[in-house]
Amino acid sequence: MTAPYIEVAFPIPLNRTFHYRATDGKIGARVLAPFGPKKNLIGYVVGRMSEKPSFPTKEILRWIDEEPFLDEPLIALARWVADRYLCSLGEALACIVPPALSAPKRQKTSNRVMDSPPMAAGNDGKKDFRLTAEQTRALVPLLAAVNAKKFQPFLLRGITNSGKTELYLRAIDDVIERGRQALYLLPEIALTPPFMDQLRERYGEQKVGIWHSVLSAGERFRTWTAVKKGKIQVLLGARSAVFAPFPDLGIIILDEEHESAYKQEDRPRYHTREIALQRAELSSSVLLMGSATPSLESYWKAKQGVYTLLELTSRVEQRSLPPVELIDLRPKKSEPGPVPGIAARPMQRASAFLSVFSEPLKIAIEQRLARREQTLLFVNRRGFTPFLRCSKCGWVSRCSRCSTTLTMHLGTGDARYMQCHACSQREGVPNQCPKCKSMRIHQYGVGTQKVEEELKKLFPFAKIARLDRDIAAQRRSHVRIYRSFVKGEVDVLVGTQMIAKGFDFPNVTLVGVVDADVSLHLPDFRSAERTFDLLTQVAGRTGRGDSKGKVLVQTHHPEHYALQAAQEHDYLRFYEKEIIDRGRLRYPPFCRLVNIVLRAVKEPAVHQSAEDLFARLEKLDGGVDLLGPAPAPYSRLRNQFRYQILIKGTDETLVPCLNLLRGYRPAKSYMSVDVDPVDLL
């Protein structure tokens, strides 16, 4: 007889489960149940019990699912997520199966949920690529692990255009031939079109699925169901695809593993890489993490033997890496001295009269347009200009709710507006200074929209497109832009980091970095690493076809070791310099971090809460380093003041702190805890 009581977890921040009367239904299904003042709250059934609870119980209202959406491994994964990232079991389960995931009212007969037109089914897309000697050596241990059906994490460090994707596909081939399934993860939605084309051409339309946040509810339901039934053999997706319900997962591909986009910003603040490791272990599958610029933590673990290290050091077809030239934007004429241990390279001087394009970059674009070759221009800021400033009184356009500047954007037609990128508040663009009433308001800095506009002025006959978060937010716009660029319908593509990795455009012979310094001096210990990663990745987008490529990088700090190492495409030299600094300052990988942010409308209240929590943590005497409490780098967001406490420790020494934080509730403030943060701002 079925146990008459069920254990239910709700997607709320309460670290406990609740019991209800229900004689039918299965573990892993969802129910609708009364909870406090809420008459119908969706919950997840995680257990059954025969003994009557010692407290009064209510009946559920109804079962939402006839068959369970969650199997035991996924429930076990949710328990691990809840424990590691300090959230409730219900919140972890909601992350895996969103409450809104349900069958659409009108079912479609087709299971196709792709972003592009159908292609031929079957394996006609498999091309007979001859592997290089390096690829062959890397593939041997990888296939051995796949065949053994055991958990093994690999880190593949391969320079840009070295053939990492072909290794991914060969491993997937082997997994599918053995009747198992494959998960292919990418950090950005914008990267999915070219990879989806490859997968569908290789494995057939019906065997490949896609999963990301832009899908409709119906598409999500059909994809989830098809994966669960084993109909989809290869799933391509962004961050949340790591939770898909595979019945027999054989391999997880984590491409561009270094990307910060793999970290979830909202609670639970999980990192996809850590989830993928746990998921692979639970399913006895292989995890293959790949990047031209692996995160320092991952490469260090590979050097320590925690991951199996595979390396590709040469481009396919013996193509050479593109030369990188640093264009010095500083007005002074003195050349910087060489950096010890890093070879000097030629450096061009910029014209002082061009605010967006230096003369060398402008000439290089003209040459590519004349030769009908394509150009990528990388700008790590969206919008038109980062802020406005009055040259008379010093007024700066700032958000009234946050300690950030307002970015000017161009709307439709001639419309312009100011927007806060922290809280999304919008304001009109002032015609005169709000403070001194002067007309001397000037634009400072460059965003993607300004670069696009300047290009149209300089090259009115060129076909120009832009790809950033504002564009990608429009449904399937990233697919349209990608298709146009591949067909040669676009001469110059302007974009943020969305265009900096993964894409393979053989006709791109020029990459221009408009401002390499945007992320270089942020108050974050990873700022140099992020700068090096972006420059190396975006430089790798050129020189992939028959024509040689070239990279021009505009900077005010050409002597910085991150830029010098990126100029040489030298990951190992950057790693060796950076890992010494990390060890000296005791930052990851030599410790783990926990970032605590407290926030309140009134600054004295949050300050007091931060002091109280810090005192409690100090009393634990657990062998950790405590930094703070101090105002956060963004000290005010969305009308709330923010204070920060940073904990440095190991797996063992962090346990008492995490136990304290798990049940701690500040009296007059809200608290968020980010375990293993990738951003300290």
Side-chain angles (χ1 to χ4, degrees):
M1 181 178 177
T2 305
Y5 299 99
I6 58 173
E7 182 184 7
V8 180
F10 291 104
I12 55 177
L14 285 179
N15 195 30
R16 55 160 297 189
T17 55
F18 302 85
H19 295 86
Y20 287 83
R21 297 193 300 275
T23 54
D24 53 357
K26 299 177 182 179
I27 295 175
R30 295 170 299 172
V31 295
L32 203 63
F35 182 81
K38 297 182 179 180
K39 296 182 179 179
N40 49 1
L41 188 63
I42 293 177
Y44 306 85
V45 179
V46 295
R48 278 192 172 277
M49 56 185 297
S50 300
E51 295 183 6
K52 184 178 180 181
S54 58
F55 43 84
T57 57
K58 298 179 180 179
E59 277 197 53
I60 63 166
L61 300 177
R62 66 180 177 87
W63 290 87
I64 296 176
D65 309 311
E66 293 182 4
E67 294 296 324
F69 260 66
L70 294 157
D71 56 17
E72 285 298 331
L74 281 179
I75 294 175
L77 181 65
R79 294 186 190 279
W80 181 87
V81 170
D83 182 65
R84 183 177 180 90
Y85 295 105
L86 303 190
C87 67
S88 70
L89 177 59
E91 288 175 308
L93 289 166
C95 194
I96 296 174
V97 184
L101 186 64
S102 58
K105 293 181 180 179
R106 296 182 62 185
Q107 289 282 2
K108 295 183 180 180
T109 56
S110 171
N111 283 330
R112 187 169 65 86
V113 291
M114 310 308 170
D115 274 332
S116 50
M119 299 178 112
N123 292 330
D124 297 335
K126 288 187 180 180
K127 296 179 177 61
D128 186 21
F129 288 112
R130 186 180 296 274
L131 296 181
T132 65
E134 281 190 324
Q135 287 176 311
T136 301
R137 283 194 298 270
L139 193 60
V140 170
L142 184 58
L143 293 185
V146 169
N147 297 343
K149 292 188 176 181
K150 67 176 184 178
F151 166 63
Q152 188 170 348
F154 290 86
L155 178 66
L156 174 61
R157 184 183 77 85
I159 66 171
T160 56
N161 199 219
S162 61
K164 294 188 293 296
T165 302
E166 184 61 25
L167 289 188
Y168 299 160
L169 296 176
R170 296 290 179 105
I172 293 173
D173 289 345
D174 205 61
V175 166
I176 291 178
E177 286 172 5
R178 297 176 186 281
R180 306 185 80 189
Q181 295 169 290
L183 172 61
Y184 198 139
L185 294 169
L186 294 169
E188 300 275 3
I189 295 174
L191 289 174
T192 55
F195 289 94
M196 178 55 71
D197 287 348
Q198 289 187 63
L199 294 173
R200 292 177 63 204
E201 186 177 0
R202 194 175 183 100
Y203 304 114
E205 177 188 349
Q206 298 299 327
K207 296 179 182 179
V208 179
I210 191 167
W211 182 273
H212 54 62
S213 59
V214 181
L215 296 180
S216 67
E219 289 171 329
R220 281 172 172 258
F221 177 82
R222 287 188 291 274
T223 301
W224 180 278
T225 304
V227 170
K228 193 171 185 295
K229 292 180 178 179
K231 293 181 179 180
I232 288 179
Q233 293 183 315
V234 184
L235 182 67
L236 177 72
R239 190 170 52 227
S240 60
V242 74
F243 298 114
F246 296 97
D248 192 6
L249 185 59
I251 191 169
I252 301 174
I253 308 291
L254 189 73
D255 199 15
E256 309 294 354
E257 73 83 31
H258 67 280
E259 278 293 327
S260 60
Y262 279 126
K263 177 74 172 180
Q264 171 75 9
E265 294 179 358
D266 302 321
R267 180 183 173 112
R269 294 174 173 82
Y270 66 85
H271 198 298
T272 310
R273 181 178 59 235
E274 302 305 314
I275 302 292
L277 280 163
Q278 187 70 11
R279 187 81 196 272
E281 186 170 5
L282 288 170
S283 58
S284 298
S285 57
V286 167
L287 172 62
L288 177 55
M289 301 169 280
S291 175
T293 56
S295 63
L296 263 73
E297 292 93 326
S298 291
Y299 196 72
W300 183 82
K301 286 182 179 180
K303 299 292 279 187
Q304 301 298 311
V306 179
Y307 305 152
T308 301
L309 180 62
L310 310 173
E311 299 196 83
L312 302 176
T313 60
S314 302
R315 280 189 157 189
V316 295
E317 299 179 2
Q318 302 301 312
R319 295 188 185 117
S320 59
L321 288 165
V324 179
E325 297 178 5
L326 302 181
I327 300 174
D328 192 349
L329 296 179
R330 296 175 298 186
K332 62 183 181 180
K333 296 183 178 181
S334 59
E335 297 291 347
V339 177
I342 298 182
R345 288 285 301 276
M347 189 182 306
Q348 297 195 32
R349 178 68 60 181
S351 167
F353 300 102
L354 291 173
S355 59
V356 176
F357 302 110
S358 61
E359 195 66 25
L361 182 53
K362 177 186 174 185
I363 292 172
I365 296 172
E366 287 176 340
Q367 292 172 341
R368 270 63 189 178
L369 291 171
R371 298 200 295 254
R372 296 186 178 277
E373 296 170 350
Q374 292 176 300
T375 298
L376 285 179
L377 289 180
F378 172 67
V379 195
N380 206 19
R381 285 195 187 108
R382 60 190 176 101
F384 189 81
T385 188
F387 65 94
L388 302 179
R389 181 177 179 274
C390 175
S391 60
K392 182 179 180 181
C393 71
W395 170 85
V396 173
S397 58
R398 292 191 179 278
C399 177
S400 60
R401 306 173 68 224
C402 309
S403 60
T404 59
T405 57
L406 291 171
T407 299
M408 191 175 86
H409 286 253
L410 302 182
T412 56
D414 296 329
R416 300 183 303 163
Y417 60 90
M418 306 293 291
Q419 183 175 17
C420 174
H421 287 175
C423 71
S424 300
Q425 177 172 278
R426 290 190 180 188
E427 297 180 8
V429 178
N431 294 319
Q432 61 181 12
C433 175
K435 186 176 180 181
C436 71
K437 307 303 179 185
S438 77
M439 306 297 290
R440 293 160 62 178
I441 296 181
H442 299 282
Q443 301 168 7
Y444 285 83
V446 176
T448 49
Q449 288 184 325
K450 186 170 185 177
V451 172
E452 182 184 24
E453 184 179 83
E454 289 297 314
L455 277 172
K456 290 177 178 177
K457 290 178 181 177
L458 287 171
F459 312 108
F461 299 106
K463 298 171 184 176
I464 299 162
R466 174 169 55 92
L467 182 57
D468 53 24
R469 191 186 300 176
D470 297 324
I471 295 292
Q474 304 168 22
R475 185 173 172 81
R476 304 201 192 284
S477 59
H478 62 287
V479 180
R480 174 180 50 80
I481 292 170
Y482 166 75
R483 303 275 182 243
S484 298
F485 199 68
V486 167
K487 293 176 182 176
E489 298 170 352
V490 173
D491 299 314
V492 185
L493 178 59
V494 180
T496 54
Q497 57 184 325
M498 288 183 175
I499 68 169
K501 61 261 182 179
F503 287 128
D504 187 358
F505 299 125
N507 199 38
V508 170
T509 59
L510 175 66
V511 166
V513 179
V514 176
D515 186 355
D517 307 330
V518 171
S519 61
L520 193 58
H521 298 297
L522 293 174
D524 192 312
F525 72 94
R526 289 191 177 95
S527 60
E529 182 182 5
R530 288 202 183 100
T531 301
F532 172 80
D533 290 348
L534 280 171
L535 293 182
T536 303
Q537 293 283 345
V538 75
R541 298 313 106 204
T542 186
R544 290 170 168 255
D546 296 331
S547 301
K548 291 185 177 180
K550 184 178 184 179
V551 183
L552 296 179
V553 179
Q554 298 184 159
T555 175
H556 289 86
H557 302 279
E559 74 286 348
H560 195 282
Y561 69 91
L563 273 66
Q564 292 278 317
Q567 185 181 27
E568 297 296 322
H569 304 277
D570 197 338
Y571 173 83
L572 293 180
R573 188 165 290 172
F574 175 80
Y575 171 83
E576 289 163 4
K577 168 73 170 68
E578 188 75 5
I579 204 72
I580 291 172
D581 292 342
R582 296 280 184 93
R584 179 172 54 85
L585 298 172
R586 199 178 175 230
Y587 275 112
F590 300 101
C591 75
R592 288 183 60 200
L593 300 179
V594 177
N595 189 34
I596 307 166
V597 176
L598 296 107
R599 66 189 194 278
V601 174
K602 296 182 179 180
E603 185 173 17
V606 68
H607 186 191
Q608 184 61 50
S609 294
E611 292 285 355
D612 292 343
L613 176 56
F614 190 85
R616 288 172 181 253
L617 291 168
E618 273 190 316
K619 290 180 181 178
L620 294 176
D621 192 24
V624 299
D625 293 336
L626 296 174
L627 303 180
Y634 292 131
S635 59
R636 189 165 174 254
L637 287 179
R638 301 175 183 87
N639 266 341
Q640 292 187 323
F641 292 93
R642 304 166 76 240
Y643 270 69
Q644 191 176 48
I645 299 172
L646 187 66
I647 309 175
K648 293 181 180 181
T650 64
D651 288 335
E652 294 76 20
T653 60
L654 283 175
V655 170
C657 297
L658 295 177
N659 289 338
L660 170 65
L661 293 170
R662 188 172 279 109
Y664 181 74
R665 296 290 182 271
K668 298 180 181 179
S669 303
Y670 297 98
M671 180 183 74
S672 63
V673 180
D674 192 353
V675 178
D676 302 321
V678 299
D679 189 343
L680 297 179
L681 300 180

